[in-house]
Every structure is written in C-alpha cells, then in structure tokens.
Amino acid sequence: MGDLVDSWVSTGANQPLTDNQIEASLGDGVVNDLSQKAGIGSTLGKSALAFIIPMLVDKLTPNGTVPDNQSFLSSIGSYITGSTRNTTATAARVVDRAEDSSGSFLKWLIPLLLLGLLVALGYMFCGRGTPVTNVNANVNVNRAVNANANTTARTVDSSFKIAANDGKYTVTGVVPDQKTVDQIKAKLDAQFGAGNVDYSGLKVDASAKPFAADWWANFEKMLPNLMDWKTGSLAFAGNAITEAAGLPAAALDQLKSLFSGWTMPSSLTSAGSADRTLSEVTLPNSTKLQAYPGGIEDQMVKFIQSEEYKTATNDSLKEKWFNFDDLNFVFGKTELTAESKRQLDNITAILKAYPDVKIKIGGYTDRKGDDAANKKLSDDRAKAVQAALQKAGVGGQVPEAEGYGEQFATVEESASDDARKVDRKTAIRLIK
C-alpha cells in the first residue's frame, strides 16, 4: 500500500485506510490483541486503527520526510507526555466509549507509536522515503540539474497480487506503466468476467522496476489452470513469488515450472510441497475417498454439483479440463504405475455416485521428441486410462479418449525435464 503511505508521509491530504486493509495487512491477531487491551470489540478496533494510523504516520513524518532517529524519539516522547491531547481525544471519539475512552486509548498508545514507527521506517527502507537532498551546484550528468533543486530517489520493485474470494477477485500492486495495467485488465476480465475483478488497488509508479521480461507471458500460460480457482492468493514482487495459497494442483505445478528461476516461499520448494496430505471426501452415496484438497476429485465433484454444469452444453464444456494429480505412466510406455490406482479408483467411485455423468479422457505430452510419436503416445495413454475405467465397471460413462500430443504444450523443448513436466499430463472433461 505504498501509495497510501505516500499520502500520509507527504504534506498533502491523507488517503483513508479501510477496515479490510487493516485486517489484510496486520492480521486478526494484532487487531484482536490491541482491541482487547483497549476494552473494545475487534470490529470497532479495526475502524479505530484505520482512522488513527494515517494520522499517526502523518504526525511522525513532519515536512513530508522520514526524520532521523533522534527526531523520532522526540516525537514519541511528545505523545507520551501528553502534548498530543487533541489527537488522543479525536481518536477516542472513534472508539466511542465516553466513560473511559481516554484511559482505554492510552493502552493503545505505545503499540500504536511503535506501529507508526515501523510503517514510516518500512516506507524509507522500501526506497519510498529517501531523505530529500539539497543540490547546491550546477551539475551535468547527461542532463542539467538546477542549483538548489530538491531530488528524491524513488525506486521500488514492481508487484502484483491477485486474491480470489468465492469467485470474486481483487488485484493489487505497483507496475511501471499504464500499458501493463491495461494488459492485466484485458486478460483477467476475459478470464473471470469484467464485473468480478476489482483493480482499485493496482497502481502505476513510473519509478517501479519492471518485472522480468517473461513474467507476464508465463502468467498468461497459467490462466487456463486458474479458470475454476475460487479461493486463495498469488503474489509476485520483483523476481520473487511471495504468496501462493489455494491454487489448483495443476496451476501450482505450472507455477513452479514456469518460474523456476524465481525466489519462492518454502511452501513451494520441493521439500515443502512433498508434505501434501490426503483428506476424506464423502460422495452423495456415502462412499468415502482419500483425495488431495483442491485435487481432481474435489474439483470434479464440486463442478458436477454446480449450476454451471447443470446448464452447460457440450460445446461450453470443451475447455473445462481437470488434470490428474497422481496418475503416471512407466517412462515412454502406456503402462500405468502402481501409485495411479488410488486416483483411478476415486474416479470410478465418482462416476458410480453420479451415473448420469459421462467423461472424456485427454492425453498430453511435452514438446520433446518427434511430433507424430508424441501424438501416438498420448493417444495410447488416454485409451489406456479409458480401458482401466472400463475394466472397473464404468466404461459406459467413458465413451471418449483422445491424445493431443504436444499441441497444447506451453514450455519450450529446450527447457529442463522438470520444467517440461507440467505439459506431460492426463486430464478429464465432462461431456453431454
């Protein structure tokens, strides 16, 4: 929220902070703790914090600059000794506890001052609050600089975050130009629907360092696997992935592949991702499955039960694929590995629980090797899955199987084997 803090530090009007922004940036734990200390509820606490923090940072950064340590200490001392009674009284009105609001607010004071200090220092260390330098000479470094000019160095990393909440999406971040904003809007509106995406938190800052050249191209490649993404968040900053929560399994695999050279949170590293745990899924006929949360079984069942599926046509279902999580083949062959049995059994159980549902199997390869051979291998593998389901007693519900080879591969042939893994997959779509 650099632009918000910009307004608090500068000498202009303070942009407001919302309750939702307080909750997102501080977390429930901090809000609840401060509210309890003040003797008020957390909802009222969020409103009070949203009102107080901009004013506090404004007071701690006089003249539009972040002061030195001694000035900070002096400002904090003035609050503690009571020279800011008007500020305290105003904040107390927000808390709205007439009988003891002043006393309650004093319990907020030290944590709030520390919070204001952290916000202001964070602003400075992120490169947005570099102290103003007075230049007292005419210097020519590729361009003339007027004597006594005020220059402020402001360089920040570009950032982008998309948060999904029950089919609604919020985009925030800082990008270097309007072209990037327009590019993001056009693609996400087409993906999720124009009325379902909020871009109010996406800002343009000409001093922002651009993302790596392949960032947007790689993000676009992920979008098909985010089509049914309902809850979670994905965030980039500089050359790092800072958040990746609640993503569909296929999108998560693709993220790690496409952005393999980026810094990632530990949860995305091979050690962290190996800890995926199975959970129990109960079908309408009381059959219980062991499946990954957000995996193919979870996605299929939710879609079958949705209004979207009930009103869908065969044409509208053609782009609605669900990727297997744990279905694999012996290298270069059509023989299914032993660990594939659990997921095949789960798909069989789902089809038996929904006897009116029919599916098509799709097989895919990466770009490595001969195109025709890849097409044949993927087709043979798709038909091998179809045969396994026929043997399990649900063949009538699996009338189609087709291999597409490398037709829809997204990773270059020259990439590493691990990077190309995202294109080697078997998938299911529903048909009518």
Side-chain angles (χ1 to χ4, degrees), residues 140-156:
N140 183 16
V141 184
N142 296 326
R143 62 185 181 88
V145 179
N146 292 330
N148 299 315
N150 288 329
T151 61
T152 303
R154 290 178 57 197
T155 304
V156 297

Side-chain angles (χ1 to χ4, degrees), residues 42-208:
S42 60
T43 301
L44 191 54
K46 277 186 285 190
S47 297
L49 285 167
F51 176 82
I52 296 165
I53 289 173
M55 181 172 58
L56 185 63
V57 175
D58 186 55
K59 294 289 186 182
L60 287 171
T61 53
N63 304 316
T65 60
V66 179
D68 57 29
N69 289 349
Q70 190 58 44
S71 299
F72 259 133
L73 291 174
S74 177
S75 296
I76 290 174
S78 71
Y79 275 88
I80 295 172
T81 56
S83 62
T84 55
R85 289 190 184 93
N86 290 337
T87 300
T88 302
T90 305
R93 286 198 296 273
V94 178
V95 177
D96 193 26
R97 290 173 62 90
E99 71 281 4
D100 64 349
S101 57
S102 296
S104 292
F105 181 71
L106 291 176
K107 298 176 183 178
W108 292 53
L109 196 52
I110 298 299
L112 276 174
L113 290 170
L114 292 174
L115 183 58
L117 176 65
L118 286 171
V119 171
L121 287 176
Y123 175 90
M124 180 171 69
F125 287 126
C126 286
R128 301 184 73 94
T130 305
V132 174
T133 303
N134 291 319
V135 182
N136 293 311
N138 291 321
V139 182
N140 183 16
V141 184
N142 296 326
R143 62 185 181 88
V145 179
N146 292 330
N148 299 315
N150 288 329
T151 61
T152 303
R154 290 178 57 197
T155 304
V156 297
D157 285 330
S158 287
S159 61
F160 170 85
K161 177 178 177 179
I162 177 168
N165 184 9
D166 196 24
K168 298 292 184 180
Y169 304 86
T170 302
V171 174
T172 55
V174 178
V175 294
D177 50 53
Q178 187 60 40
K179 178 183 176 182
T180 304
V181 173
D182 294 340
Q183 194 176 35
I184 290 170
K185 285 184 175 180
K187 201 67 182 180
L188 295 187
D189 282 352
Q191 169 94 355
F192 301 116
N196 294 323
V197 188
D198 176 8
Y199 301 99
S200 60
L202 184 61
K203 307 297 182 184
V204 173
D205 187 335
S207 66

Side-chain angles (χ1 to χ4, degrees), residues 192-401:
F192 301 116
N196 294 323
V197 188
D198 176 8
Y199 301 99
S200 60
L202 184 61
K203 307 297 182 184
V204 173
D205 187 335
S207 66
K209 299 176 187 176
F211 283 113
D214 58 351
W215 168 71
W216 181 248
N218 285 339
F219 182 77
E220 281 188 299
K221 291 175 183 177
M222 288 183 59
L223 284 175
N225 283 325
L226 293 175
M227 182 66 73
D228 300 312
W229 183 40
K230 299 300 182 185
T231 305
S233 60
L234 176 60
F236 304 84
N239 64 344
I241 297 169
T242 56
E243 289 182 43
L247 299 178
L252 193 60
D253 289 341
Q254 197 172 23
L255 178 72
K256 289 184 285 187
S257 171
L258 294 173
F259 294 92
S260 57
W262 288 50
T263 301
M264 298 188 184
S266 59
S267 60
L268 294 186
T269 61
S270 56
S273 59
D275 294 332
R276 295 174 67 197
T277 55
L278 297 169
S279 62
E280 190 171 82
V281 176
T282 302
L283 299 177
N285 62 359
S286 299
T287 300
K288 297 184 185 300
L289 312 178
Q290 292 296 311
Y292 294 124
I296 186 172
E297 300 95 333
D298 192 18
Q299 293 179 51
M300 279 186 64
V301 170
K302 287 179 179 176
F303 183 64
I304 291 169
Q305 295 173 341
S306 72
E307 192 64 30
E308 181 183 358
Y309 171 66
K310 294 173 185 175
T311 59
T313 63
N314 207 34
D315 283 342
S316 68
L317 290 171
K318 285 183 178 179
E319 303 302 320
K320 194 84 170 178
W321 288 92
F322 303 97
N323 297 331
F324 278 97
D325 307 294
D326 273 349
L327 187 134
N328 299 293
F329 296 87
V330 175
F331 180 76
K333 299 182 179 181
T334 60
E335 180 185 349
L336 286 157
T337 59
E339 63 265 23
S340 301
K341 184 177 185 304
R342 179 192 61 80
Q343 204 144 67
L344 281 171
D345 288 346
N346 284 350
I347 298 302
T348 299
I350 291 172
L351 292 175
K352 287 181 177 179
Y354 297 96
D356 294 332
V357 167
K358 293 183 179 181
I359 63 172
K360 176 178 181 177
I361 309 297
Y364 304 83
T365 69
D366 61 26
R367 293 179 177 175
K368 194 79 170 178
D370 179 73
D371 293 5
N374 283 341
K375 180 73 180 292
K376 183 178 186 311
L377 179 62
S378 67
D379 193 66
D380 289 346
R381 284 179 167 178
K383 287 178 169 57
V385 175
Q386 181 187 34
L389 292 172
Q390 287 172 341
K391 186 176 180 180
V394 290
Q397 292 175 256
V398 194
E400 298 180 31

